[in-house]
Amino acid sequence: MAEQPAAEPAEQPEVVDAHVVVLEPQSSTQLAQQTATQAALVAAGGFAVGAVTVAALKHHRSMKAAKRSRKALGQVVGSRRFLVDVHLLKGD
Protein backbone atom coordinates (compact mmCIF):
# COMPACT_ATOMS: atom_id res chain seq x y z
CA MET A 1 0.00 0.00 0.00
CA ALA A 2 1.27 3.55 -0.83
CA GLU A 3 2.09 5.90 1.99
CA GLN A 4 0.00 9.00 2.25
CA PRO A 5 1.84 12.33 2.81
CA ALA A 6 1.54 13.75 6.27
CA ALA A 7 -1.14 16.39 6.64
CA GLU A 8 0.28 19.91 6.87
CA PRO A 9 -0.72 21.88 9.94
CA ALA A 10 -3.46 24.41 9.18
CA GLU A 11 -2.23 28.01 9.06
CA GLN A 12 -3.46 30.29 11.81
CA PRO A 13 -5.66 33.17 10.59
CA GLU A 14 -4.07 36.61 10.75
CA VAL A 15 -5.35 38.78 13.58
CA VAL A 16 -5.93 42.42 12.61
CA ASP A 17 -6.38 45.26 15.07
CA ALA A 18 -9.10 47.50 13.59
CA HIS A 19 -11.46 50.23 14.65
CA VAL A 20 -15.02 50.38 13.41
CA VAL A 21 -15.99 53.76 11.93
CA VAL A 22 -19.66 54.49 11.50
CA LEU A 23 -20.40 56.92 8.69
CA GLU A 24 -23.40 59.17 9.01
CA PRO A 25 -25.67 59.15 5.97
CA GLN A 26 -25.61 62.37 3.98
CA SER A 27 -28.67 64.10 2.69
CA SER A 28 -29.10 64.57 -1.03
CA THR A 29 -28.64 68.35 -0.67
CA GLN A 30 -25.27 67.90 1.07
CA LEU A 31 -24.18 65.46 -1.60
CA ALA A 32 -25.31 67.81 -4.39
CA GLN A 33 -23.50 70.75 -2.76
CA GLN A 34 -20.27 68.75 -2.44
CA THR A 35 -20.52 67.63 -6.06
CA ALA A 36 -21.15 71.20 -7.26
CA THR A 37 -18.20 72.49 -5.22
CA GLN A 38 -15.91 69.82 -6.64
CA ALA A 39 -17.08 70.57 -10.20
CA ALA A 40 -16.43 74.30 -9.69
CA LEU A 41 -12.92 73.61 -8.40
CA VAL A 42 -12.15 71.36 -11.36
CA ALA A 43 -13.47 73.99 -13.80
CA ALA A 44 -11.42 76.75 -12.16
CA GLY A 45 -8.31 74.58 -12.26
CA GLY A 46 -8.89 73.81 -15.93
CA PHE A 47 -9.32 77.50 -16.71
CA ALA A 48 -6.10 78.37 -14.88
CA VAL A 49 -4.14 75.69 -16.71
CA GLY A 50 -5.55 76.90 -20.03
CA ALA A 51 -4.63 80.51 -19.28
CA VAL A 52 -1.07 79.54 -18.38
CA THR A 53 -0.77 77.50 -21.57
CA VAL A 54 -1.98 80.40 -23.73
CA ALA A 55 0.42 82.82 -22.02
CA ALA A 56 3.34 80.42 -22.51
CA LEU A 57 2.54 79.96 -26.21
CA LYS A 58 2.25 83.73 -26.78
CA HIS A 59 5.57 84.30 -25.01
CA HIS A 60 7.24 81.58 -27.08
CA ARG A 61 5.90 83.02 -30.34
CA SER A 62 6.96 86.57 -29.46
CA MET A 63 10.45 85.37 -28.57
CA LYS A 64 10.73 83.58 -31.91
CA ALA A 65 9.54 86.71 -33.75
CA ALA A 66 12.01 88.92 -31.87
CA LYS A 67 14.84 86.55 -32.66
CA ARG A 68 13.83 86.52 -36.34
CA SER A 69 13.72 90.34 -36.52
CA ARG A 70 17.14 90.62 -34.83
CA LYS A 71 18.63 88.43 -37.53
CA ALA A 72 17.09 90.60 -40.26
CA LEU A 73 18.68 93.79 -38.84
CA GLY A 74 22.16 92.39 -38.71
CA GLN A 75 24.44 92.55 -35.70
CA VAL A 76 22.77 94.46 -32.85
CA VAL A 77 25.29 96.25 -30.65
CA GLY A 78 22.84 97.72 -28.12
CA SER A 79 19.13 97.93 -27.54
CA ARG A 80 16.82 100.23 -25.57
CA ARG A 81 13.09 100.03 -25.15
CA PHE A 82 10.88 103.02 -24.49
CA LEU A 83 7.21 103.31 -23.66
CA VAL A 84 5.86 106.13 -25.79
CA ASP A 85 2.56 107.90 -25.13
CA VAL A 86 1.45 110.13 -28.04
CA HIS A 87 -1.27 112.77 -27.65
CA LEU A 88 -2.75 114.79 -30.48
CA LEU A 89 -3.80 118.26 -29.33
CA LYS A 90 -6.31 120.49 -31.06
CA GLY A 91 -5.06 124.05 -31.58
CA ASP A 92 -7.26 127.15 -31.37
Side-chain angles (χ1 to χ4, degrees):
M1 202 156 119
E3 271 188 52
Q4 301 225 353
E8 294 181 22
E11 291 184 23
Q12 295 296 324
E14 183 179 353
V15 178
V16 179
D17 184 21
H19 298 283
V20 177
V21 178
V22 179
L23 299 177
E24 296 179 16
Q26 294 182 342
S27 69
S28 61
T29 55
Q30 287 176 330
L31 188 59
Q33 185 179 14
Q34 287 176 347
T35 304
T37 302
Q38 186 178 16
L41 289 173
V42 169
F47 178 78
V49 169
V52 169
T53 303
V54 168
L57 287 175
K58 282 186 176 183
H59 178 71
H60 180 69
R61 287 181 184 165
S62 69
M63 294 302 288
K64 282 177 76 173
K67 188 174 184 181
R68 207 174 314 124
S69 68
R70 265 188 265 140
K71 286 182 181 179
L73 293 175
Q75 184 180 6
V76 177
V77 178
S79 178
R80 300 286 185 266
R81 292 182 181 205
F82 299 98
L83 177 63
V84 179
D85 193 10
V86 178
H87 296 274
L88 299 177
L89 303 175
K90 182 178 178 183
D92 288 327

